């Protein structure tokens, strides 16, 4: 899960960096695409196009809007083999396909799937392109002077940011410069603009004086400055939620040299993982002592499988049962690695398992 999160953050930062680089490259006079690119041969009769903007962004609509996409693009000096024609049999993918090598490409980076897609760029056309995986080996060419109304575009999500590690508490930015903010008690709708320093300014459509600032942190998280001056931390993904917690307070843990007072917390997350935390009370330091997975069978029979302590069975306290839950004890005993040395833990943690869970 942690690797997936890191990959997601990496892809997102790459995408945002791509946007910044393209904007700079455009300002320096590099070649850009601008206008509507239609298929040279539309043999299925449904409107399909790319609309490229000079700021390095694009919007695409395939098969009369059945599939839409948006993202960033960049023209690069890079060789790419492509199919120039289907050959004498006029069937793509056969032995007589005529291949060629382009010296330039258009690299497309979609907001939906930020894995770069490279397309041969030959004589001002996008050649041998695949359209949503359903129409392949097509050529897209600029339709000179074609009118275009950007207000008809379907908003494509650029990024979802989460507050308080909750699925519903989201700030969503769309490619058409609109946003929806559900991080507070009331939903806010409006528009956003990217600033020269990489931050974003968001304006409430119902109150132009209600302005917010979104800035990115180096670790891939974001800070959302609210109109009242407070700031809220946002993340690009949400982690597992601890819905059952077992604790043991004022217990003794021991190293080879000393015994210390500690509080233990065992978090059980909704993805089936668990983590045992040790808080050394004298110094206020919290450490991860052990982790693993758990299962629940026959209502409240917990079985934990820790990396260090191994398998431990929870002990339901049936006498404590109420309409909403039941007490469960977890006898944990193991020697773990913490603070660079062995730490002996032998304690019983207790908590309430909710019937609702």
């Amino acid at each position: 899960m942690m690797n997936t999160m890191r990959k997601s953050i990496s892809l997102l930062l790459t995408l945002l960096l791509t946007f910044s680089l393209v904007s700079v490259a455009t300002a320096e006079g590099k070649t850009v695409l601008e206008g509507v690119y239609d298929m040279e041969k539309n043999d299925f009769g449904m409107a399909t196009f790319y609309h490229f903007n000079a700021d390095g962004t694009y919007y695409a609509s395939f098969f009369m809007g059945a599939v839409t996409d948006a993202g960033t693009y960049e023209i690069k000096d890079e060789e790419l083999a492509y199919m120039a024609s289907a050959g004498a049999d006029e069937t793509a993918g056969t032995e007589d396909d005529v291949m060629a090598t382009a010296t330039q490409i258009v690299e497309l980076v979609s907001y939906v799937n930020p894995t770069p897609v490279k397309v041969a760029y030959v004589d001002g056309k996008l050649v041998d392109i695949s359209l949503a995986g359903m129409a392949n080996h097509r050529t897209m060419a600029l339709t000179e002077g074609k009118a275009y109304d950007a207000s008809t575009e379907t908003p494509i999500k650029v990024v979802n940011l989460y507050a308080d590690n909750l699925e519903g508490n989201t700030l969503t930015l769309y490619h058409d410069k609109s946003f929806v903010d559900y991080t507070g008690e009331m939903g806010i709708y409006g528009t956003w603009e990217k600033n020269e320093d990489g931050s974003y300014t968001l304006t409430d459509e119902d109150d132009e004086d209600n302005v917010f600032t979104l800035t990115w942190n180096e670790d891939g998280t974001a800070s959302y400055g609210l109109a009242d001056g407070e700031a809220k931390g946002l993340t690009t993904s949400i982690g597992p939620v601890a819905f059952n917690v077992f604790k043991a307070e004022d217990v003794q843990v021991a190293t080879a040299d000393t015994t210390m007072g500690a509080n233990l917390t065992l978090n059980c997350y909704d993805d089936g993982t668990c983590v045992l935390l040790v808080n050394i009370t004298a110094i206020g330091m919290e450490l991860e002592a052990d982790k693993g997975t758990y299962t629940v069978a026959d209502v409240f029979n917990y079985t934990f499988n820790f990396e260090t302590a191994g398998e431990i069975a929870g002990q339901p306290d049936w006498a404590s049962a109420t309409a909403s839950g039941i007490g469960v004890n977890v006898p944990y005993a193991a020697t773990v690695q913490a603070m660079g040395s062995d730490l002996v833990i032998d304690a019983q943690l207790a908590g309430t398992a909710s019937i609702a869970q």
Side-chain angles (χ1 to χ4, degrees):
M1 176 172 292
M2 200 52 125
N3 287 336
T4 300
M5 186 180 300
R6 290 193 183 109
K7 290 179 181 177
S8 299
I9 292 173
S10 177
L11 285 171
L12 178 62
L13 292 176
T14 299
L15 185 57
L16 294 171
L17 179 59
T18 299
F19 183 85
S20 300
L21 291 176
V22 170
S23 300
V24 172
T26 301
E28 292 175 351
K30 289 189 177 182
T31 304
V32 297
L33 305 176
E34 190 170 9
V36 179
Y37 282 66
D38 291 305
M39 281 194 297
E40 280 195 332
K41 181 182 179 182
N42 189 336
D43 51 3
F44 43 80
M46 292 184 286
T48 295
F49 66 86
Y50 274 88
H51 181 255
F52 291 97
N53 302 300
D55 65 357
T57 62
Y58 73 86
Y59 177 81
S61 176
F62 308 132
F63 321 119
M64 296 184 66
V67 179
T68 55
D69 187 27
T72 64
Y73 75 89
E74 185 177 3
I75 298 175
K76 294 183 174 182
D77 293 327
E78 182 178 322
E79 290 190 347
L80 180 67
Y82 69 95
M83 191 189 79
S85 76
D89 64 3
E90 299 183 352
T91 301
T94 59
E95 291 183 356
D96 70 340
D97 290 348
V98 178
M99 303 300 295
T101 300
T103 58
Q104 283 189 311
I105 65 166
V106 175
E107 185 172 80
L108 305 170
V109 183
S110 169
Y111 295 132
V112 179
N113 177 9
T115 300
V117 174
K118 298 179 180 182
V119 181
Y121 185 55
V122 182
D123 298 330
K125 301 176 182 180
L126 282 74
V127 181
D128 198 17
I129 189 172
S130 174
L131 305 175
M134 293 183 283
N136 302 316
H137 307 296
R138 306 291 171 153
T139 297
M140 310 291 290
L142 176 65
T143 303
E144 296 282 356
K146 186 173 184 178
Y148 186 75
D149 182 3
S151 67
T152 63
E153 295 179 358
T154 300
I156 303 294
K157 180 177 66 179
V158 176
V159 64
N160 250 0
L161 296 170
Y162 300 90
D164 307 316
N165 200 42
L166 295 175
E167 182 75 33
N169 289 16
T170 57
L171 171 66
T172 305
L173 305 186
Y174 295 93
H175 89 282
D176 62 353
K177 302 298 181 68
S178 65
F179 76 88
V180 178
D181 176 8
Y182 288 123
T183 64
E185 295 181 359
M186 301 290 291
I188 299 174
Y189 301 81
T191 58
W192 61 268
E193 291 292 337
K194 186 175 182 181
N195 305 315
E196 291 184 0
D197 63 359
S199 66
Y200 294 76
T201 298
L202 290 71
T203 305
D204 186 341
E205 67 180 12
D206 294 325
D207 182 0
E208 63 181 14
D209 293 326
N210 201 20
V211 178
F212 311 88
T213 301
L214 177 68
T215 57
W216 290 96
N217 304 317
E218 291 183 358
D219 62 357
T221 62
S223 179
Y224 188 38
L226 308 182
D228 59 7
E230 295 184 4
K232 182 177 296 185
L234 304 178
T235 59
T236 56
S237 62
I238 57 176
V241 177
F243 66 85
N244 272 326
V245 179
F246 303 93
K247 294 186 176 183
E249 298 184 345
D250 298 325
V251 300
Q252 296 295 306
V253 296
T255 66
D257 303 317
T258 187
T259 299
M260 301 173 288
N263 295 325
L264 307 181
T265 302
L266 174 58
N267 290 324
C268 296
Y269 296 101
D270 55 2
D271 64 351
T273 62
C274 58
V275 175
L276 177 67
L277 303 173
V278 178
N279 189 300
I280 308 300
T281 53
I283 57 176
M285 178 183 291
E286 188 170 75
L287 307 166
E288 180 181 295
D290 205 351
K291 61 184 178 180
T293 60
Y294 72 95
T295 57
V296 184
D298 299 330
V299 187
F300 293 113
N301 287 325
Y302 280 71
T303 299
F304 299 89
N305 284 282
F306 291 99
E307 291 182 358
T308 301
E311 183 175 309
I312 294 177
Q315 301 169 345
D317 181 7
W318 299 109
S320 69
T322 66
S324 60
I326 184 173
V328 176
N329 299 319
V330 182
Y332 183 93
T335 300
V336 302
Q337 282 291 312
M339 299 184 296
S341 63
D342 290 342
L343 185 68
V344 179
I345 302 174
D346 189 352
Q348 180 163 277
L349 295 90
T352 299
S354 170
I355 288 177
Q357 298 295 339

